[in-house]
Amino acid sequence: MDVTRASWTNTTHDWAGDVDAEHLSHIRQNAVEFAPDGPWHLVLEVLAYAADEASGTGGGRCVVVVRPDGSLSVRDDGRGTDTRVDEDGRSVKKPVMATRDLRFFDFPEAEVLPDGCPRRGVSVVAALSEWLVHTNRRLDGAWTQRYEHGVPVTGLEPVEADGTTGTLVHFWPDRSLGPLRVPEAVDLTRLADAWPHLEVRVDDRCAS
């Protein structure tokens, strides 16, 4: 079987490269356009991928944690981000954080998220976060990788399997985006209406 990266079929992202620096810079220079609702819009961009997975597998759960240090995390119970082994025996994760989503970015007819804004992809989250850590658990292994303003600063670092699959995206939104507005019950109802296969729970650890 041909395992060269050039032979891998592109569906949501281009496997040929790990980082699109120009793409990330464009997002950072236009933060108001790409995160009009501030940090909560970034959460919705991550949740949209969990919703895709839940829709394709018959249902799923996701927990959003608002942390006292200002960071946010989104954990789902899906299959994990696609990770393959290349011709040199290296694990390669689909470059979702640092390259554009081929389905949504720059497409006027892109899906609209529950806040009424167009979906652009999770690279928006990475680019507009001071740091982001993506932990990826699949049946064939688990890895974590850290990004700063969308640029990976570590390789895929193996982590111990815990019997689960799914992704954990933990990020600290750039302070220029302003404070997080924790969603009210009506907002969570809107999520359920938009993504009926995904159960979303918000754990606000800053609440008094």
Side-chain angles (χ1 to χ4, degrees):
M1 181 179 68
D2 189 353
V3 295
T4 60
R5 291 182 66 167
S7 72
W8 296 348
T9 300
N10 295 329
T11 52
T12 65
H13 295 76
D14 188 346
W15 286 94
D18 295 319
V19 182
D20 184 340
E22 183 177 352
H23 168 69
L24 297 171
S25 177
H26 175 62
I27 295 170
R28 290 196 296 271
Q29 292 169 10
N30 297 276
V32 174
E33 175 187 353
F34 291 111
D37 197 27
W40 182 246
H41 182 80
L42 303 186
V43 172
L44 294 179
E45 290 279 13
V46 181
L47 285 174
Y49 287 87
D52 287 344
E53 179 75 357
S55 178
T57 58
R61 296 182 176 86
C62 202
V63 178
V64 179
V65 180
V66 182
R67 301 176 183 274
D69 66 357
S71 68
L72 299 154
S73 67
V74 182
R75 181 191 295 271
D76 68 61
D77 61 354
R79 294 168 295 179
T81 305
D82 192 1
T83 305
R84 304 180 183 182
V85 178
D86 70 9
E87 63 270 30
D88 297 316
R90 296 174 300 189
S91 294
V92 179
K93 182 181 65 184
K94 184 186 290 187
V96 297
M97 295 295 173
T99 67
R100 70 185 62 212
D101 191 311
L102 302 174
R103 302 167 296 172
F104 305 117
F105 204 86
D106 286 341
F107 281 87
E109 66 275 16
E111 172 187 344
V112 175
L113 294 175
D115 62 357
C117 299
R119 180 179 180 183
R120 305 297 181 82
V122 76
S123 60
V124 168
V125 183
L128 295 180
S129 293
E130 295 193 24
W131 55 259
L132 179 151
V133 178
H134 181 194
T135 301
N136 183 38
R137 296 185 180 277
R138 292 176 61 83
L139 291 175
D140 57 352
W143 305 266
T144 190
Q145 188 168 29
R146 181 182 173 95
Y147 299 78
E148 294 179 1
H149 295 292
V151 179
V153 294
T154 69
L156 288 186
E157 299 178 346
V159 295
E160 186 175 354
D162 64 1
T164 67
T165 62
T167 62
L168 170 63
V169 180
H170 184 195
F171 61 99
W172 194 21
D174 192 288
R175 280 169 279 193
S176 67
L177 299 180
L180 170 71
R181 182 186 65 82
V182 177
E184 299 177 356
V186 65
D187 298 303
L188 297 180
T189 299
R190 193 175 296 121
L191 296 187
D193 291 340
W195 298 319
H197 294 93
L198 181 67
E199 177 185 329
V200 178
R201 179 170 65 87
V202 177
D203 178 4
D204 184 1
R205 299 182 181 177
C206 300
S208 57

